[in-house]
Amino acid sequence: MYKLMIVEDEPLIRMGLQKYLDWKDLGFQEIVEAENGAEGVDIALKEKPDLIITDIRMPLMDGLEMIGSLRHKLPETLFVIWTGYNEFEYAQEAIRLGNVSAYLLKPLQYEESLKTIQDCVKKLESKREQEHLASAMQHNLVENIQLKRSHFVKQLLEDGEAYSDSRHLAALIGVETANLLMQPFVLSYVPETVPSPQSRTWWRQNAEKLLASMLQQFIPSMERQLLFSYISHNKMYAFTILVEENTPLILSPGMRREAESFLRNVAAGRSIQLYLGQGTATSDIKTLASLLQQAENSLFARFSGDGQHMYELQAAAADPMRSVLMQLGDKDKMQLLSCLEHGDMKQLQLLMRRLAQDLKSKAGHIPMEQSLGFIQEVIATAIRYAGKHGINIEEMYHQRLLYFRFVDDFDSMPVMFDWLTDWMMQLRSDAGQAAKSDGSLDTAVFEQIEAYILQHIDQEITLQMVADRFFYNPSYLSRLFKIKLNKNYMTFVTEIRIAYAKRCLVQSKVPMTDVAQMCGYASYKHFVKTFRKLTDMTPSDYRKQMGMMD
């Protein structure tokens, strides 16, 4: 829709022009007025109309002067002169000079006037199409450049040697890379609960913007700097090129406090935490991959519980604890296996909490690799139990558990060990069920899944979320639904939602639109359609049948 402006010193003529044509039908949603050229300039700059119809002779400033003042300030606006025969030569000259698109002759002839305005509308439509095309092309160009930069970081991480040629980087930034400093960062997103699809989407869409916004506070010319980034799961690997300031970005204590505050404020209310690791700046691209790894490793310090959100990998100090080898003792291994064998979950919880506290107390003193090695020993002990009881760990359980990706989901050692304890309890349950049947899980697991879905019935609950909650490989869980229940996961969830809806419809007089939302349906129309598909009646008919409506 377009905006029209009429500039005319006679009020009755302005009113007549507004009613002369069906402006809404022509595509004009709003009409503004001015009674002379001077007022027309002020109003036009404020309202930015798409089309201006103006008289020529007016007090204070005539129409041609007004057009001359506005032409370069409003290059997308079309101008139409409203003129008499004695001013016709002025109008033709204005059109010839390119200031005016068309003219309307007094007295108006309806058909001619309508055609003139329709021609103007076609020009406006053509301009908008060109603008949209140019915008789309620019967007695609920017996206293409961003994809290439993201691919560069990905390849750098996967094969630093192959991408250590500075010519790759020079081609992406358009300047020589000599004497340029590259400042590496890793931004980490840690969910406080099982992350929802919306939370993951928010992270992927906003991670780069967040880092760029934060860096702008510390690098005055950041809007002209180049940021390369690549997102992998819960981490974004990035580096910025300090084109103008050829010095490393060293944050003062005050700047660090601002950065910490920024990260906390962004995370507030989102059930997440954000952590930033900063690596050492370098002018040698051959070292960039290892420095990104350095920035990533610095994030492990969050497990020390110091409350910080920004880290740098510090040089190893003379700490006597660094020489202490952190290993899971034989006694603890035997106790862990005994707890699993006998189903002593209380003792298992106590053991795991003690191990978590031991590791937390040393996390800031021993190398990260030692901490991860200790966690690996704990998991390996549980895998021994699984193997003894015929549980195929790689097929059944989630890869994030087997390949240590779960570490990125936590910022507290006790919470992470509680999560591992829950997995071991699930492992014990799965082993018990497998022993009772043919070696595969019994249908009892679906009762646990149903209980979980009912706890979150008003939310979107994906197969991935359920798999994460019960530690299963999503592919394995999907096959399990087919084999054991002869239905897919979505059918399973839908049946639970509609069964819950039936109870809500019978047990209360809550409006049916509210029942739909209570059962996880954002669209009432979709709720009714699904309810009818499963019950052969609408929710309203069901409530009547059950005697809940007058």
Side-chain angles (χ1 to χ4, degrees):
M1 301 298 284
Y2 304 108
K3 183 184 290 188
L4 169 68
M5 178 172 165
I6 298 173
V7 186
E8 165 62 56
D9 58 330
E10 292 290 341
L12 289 177
I13 296 177
R14 290 201 305 272
M15 186 182 299
L17 274 174
Q18 287 195 43
K19 298 182 180 299
Y20 189 67
L21 297 173
D22 188 343
W23 294 104
K24 282 193 175 180
D25 188 56
L26 288 165
F28 292 90
Q29 189 174 25
E30 186 178 352
I31 300 176
V32 294
E33 300 179 6
E35 62 181 29
N36 57 63
E39 187 180 65
V41 170
D42 293 338
I43 293 176
L45 292 175
K46 179 182 177 182
E47 297 290 340
K48 295 180 174 52
D50 300 287
L51 177 66
I52 295 177
I53 298 177
T54 180
D55 195 3
I56 291 182
R57 297 192 183 279
M58 294 178 291
L60 299 181
M61 180 186 288
D62 67 34
L64 295 181
E65 286 182 86
M66 180 194 72
I67 292 171
S69 297
L70 292 174
R71 184 184 172 209
H72 296 293
K73 295 175 182 176
L74 299 175
E76 302 304 319
T77 299
L78 298 184
F79 297 92
V80 173
I81 290 178
W82 155 256
T83 180
Y85 282 106
N86 58 337
E87 299 162 335
F88 187 50
E89 290 184 5
Y90 289 106
Q92 287 184 315
E93 179 65 14
I95 292 173
R96 189 181 68 79
L97 293 173
N99 289 0
V100 176
S101 298
Y103 58 86
L104 295 173
L105 278 176
K106 302 176 185 177
L108 293 178
Q109 299 295 318
Y110 183 82
E111 294 298 332
E112 290 182 8
S113 302
L114 178 61
K115 185 178 184 308
T116 297
I117 300 302
Q118 286 174 335
D119 289 343
C120 289
V121 170
K122 287 179 181 177
K123 289 180 182 179
L124 290 172
E125 289 174 348
S126 177
K127 278 191 172 188
R128 285 204 174 173
E129 286 177 6
Q130 291 174 10
E131 288 171 3
H132 290 158
L133 180 61
S135 176
M137 290 176 66
Q138 179 64 25
H139 178 73
N140 290 338
L141 180 62
V142 170
E143 278 202 338
N144 187 42
I145 292 173
Q146 288 175 334
L147 283 172
K148 286 182 177 179
R149 290 178 179 172
S150 179
H151 182 71
F152 178 84
V153 179
K154 180 176 183 289
Q155 292 299 114
L156 191 69
L157 292 168
E158 293 177 354
D159 190 358
E161 288 294 323
Y163 265 66
S164 61
D165 188 338
S166 61
R167 287 175 295 183
H168 287 290
L169 184 59
L172 291 173
I173 62 177
V175 297
E176 292 297 324
T177 57
N179 300 320
L180 294 181
L181 273 178
M182 291 160 282
Q183 182 76 58
F185 299 95
V186 176
L187 183 64
S188 177
Y189 145 90
V190 178
E192 293 179 0
T193 57
V194 175
S196 66
Q198 293 83 0
S199 177
R200 292 186 189 277
T201 300
W202 175 87
W203 160 248
R204 297 191 71 85
Q205 290 178 345
N206 292 281
E208 183 175 325
K209 297 175 189 174
L210 291 175
L211 181 57
S213 178
M214 194 192 82
L215 292 178
Q216 282 176 10
Q217 298 183 27
F218 310 121
I219 307 175
S221 58
M222 182 61 206
E223 66 276 6
R224 297 191 297 277
Q225 308 292 350
L226 300 171
L227 185 65
F228 286 61
S229 67
Y230 166 67
I231 294 178
S232 176
H233 304 292
N234 289 17
K235 292 176 183 172
M236 182 181 74
Y237 301 84
F239 66 91
T240 185
I241 298 175
L242 305 175
V243 177
E244 295 180 11
E245 299 178 8
N246 196 20
T247 55
L249 176 59
I250 300 174
L251 301 185
S252 66
M255 293 167 73
R256 289 185 68 88
R257 284 193 294 272
E258 287 184 34
E260 294 269 352
S261 177
F262 178 90
L263 293 169
R264 288 191 179 92
N265 289 339
V266 170
R270 298 186 183 277
S271 297
I272 63 170
Q273 294 295 334
L274 293 172
Y275 296 93
L276 182 66
Q278 177 178 326
T280 305
T282 181
S283 58
D284 183 1
I285 193 172
K286 293 180 180 179
T287 65
L288 187 54
S290 63
L291 292 172
L292 281 165
Q293 186 68 52
Q294 178 193 81
E296 180 182 21
N297 291 349
S298 72
L299 292 171
F300 198 79
R302 70 186 185 275
F303 285 107
S304 65
D306 58 9
Q308 295 185 42
H309 286 253
M310 187 167 180
Y311 296 95
E312 296 175 82
L313 195 63
Q314 303 296 328
D319 187 341
M321 290 188 67
R322 294 190 72 84
S323 60
V324 176
L325 188 61
M326 186 71 181
Q327 289 183 318
L328 183 65
D330 291 340
K331 183 178 178 181
D332 288 333
K333 289 179 184 178
M334 295 304 295
Q335 185 180 354
L336 196 157
L337 287 170
S338 176
C339 290
L340 289 171
E341 290 288 357
H342 297 95
D344 192 342
M345 297 299 102
K346 184 175 181 180
Q347 286 301 314
L348 178 64
Q349 286 178 324
L350 292 173
L351 170 63
M352 291 292 283
R353 286 173 183 171
R354 175 173 62 78
L355 295 177
Q357 289 299 331
D358 287 348
L359 188 55
K360 178 184 175 183
S361 67
K362 298 180 177 67
H365 305 280
I366 63 175
M368 179 190 72
E369 292 78 11
Q370 276 202 39
S371 296
L372 293 177
F374 182 83
I375 298 168
Q376 189 172 27
E377 284 189 276
V378 173
I379 294 174
T381 303
I383 289 176
R384 277 177 56 193
Y385 166 81
K388 179 181 176 182
H389 291 272
I391 297 291
N392 188 331
I393 289 287
E394 290 193 7
E395 178 190 18
M396 185 179 295
Y397 294 113
H398 206 294
Q399 288 187 347
R400 64 199 282 263
L401 177 69
L402 303 178
Y403 296 104
F404 269 61
R405 289 209 300 266
F406 67 88
V407 175
D408 293 338
D409 293 336
F410 298 95
D411 56 6
S412 161
M413 203 68 77
V415 173
M416 181 167 65
F417 270 69
D418 283 347
W419 181 84
L420 286 171
T421 304
D422 289 342
W423 167 63
M424 292 179 190
M425 290 179 175
Q426 185 68 45
L427 174 61
R428 161 71 187 180
S429 174
D430 293 343
Q433 291 178 41
K436 295 176 185 177
S437 57
D438 59 357
S440 60
L441 291 186
D442 192 66
T443 54
V445 68
F446 299 111
E447 296 175 6
Q448 299 174 29
I449 294 174
E450 181 176 356
Y452 174 75
I453 290 170
L454 286 170
Q455 288 174 359
H456 305 85
I457 194 72
D458 61 339
Q459 304 168 24
E460 180 183 1
I461 311 167
T462 64
L463 178 66
Q464 182 70 57
M465 291 173 68
V466 173
D468 286 346
R469 167 60 184 84
F470 293 96
F471 311 97
Y472 292 128
N473 182 320
S475 298
Y476 171 81
L477 190 57
S478 180
R479 290 197 304 273
L480 205 62
F481 275 101
K482 287 282 189 180
I483 294 169
K484 293 291 185 179
L485 302 183
N486 195 30
K487 64 181 72 170
N488 62 31
Y489 168 75
M490 288 307 300
T491 300
F492 181 78
V493 175
T494 300
E495 289 174 353
I496 293 172
R497 290 190 192 279
I498 297 305
Y500 182 73
K502 286 181 177 180
R503 295 199 295 273
C504 292
L505 290 167
V506 170
Q507 294 171 2
S508 71
K509 292 189 177 182
V510 173
M512 280 175 282
T513 52
D514 291 350
V515 171
Q517 293 182 352
M518 289 163 59
C519 298
Y521 289 94
S523 165
Y524 177 68
K525 184 177 179 181
H526 180 51
F527 168 63
V528 173
K529 182 179 178 181
T530 306
F531 193 97
R532 177 183 283 162
K533 183 178 179 181
L534 267 68
T535 65
D536 292 324
M537 64 181 75
T538 66
S540 177
D541 291 339
Y542 179 80
R543 184 171 260 180
K544 286 179 182 177
Q545 186 183 79
M546 302 304 292
M548 293 298 295
M549 294 181 71
D550 297 333

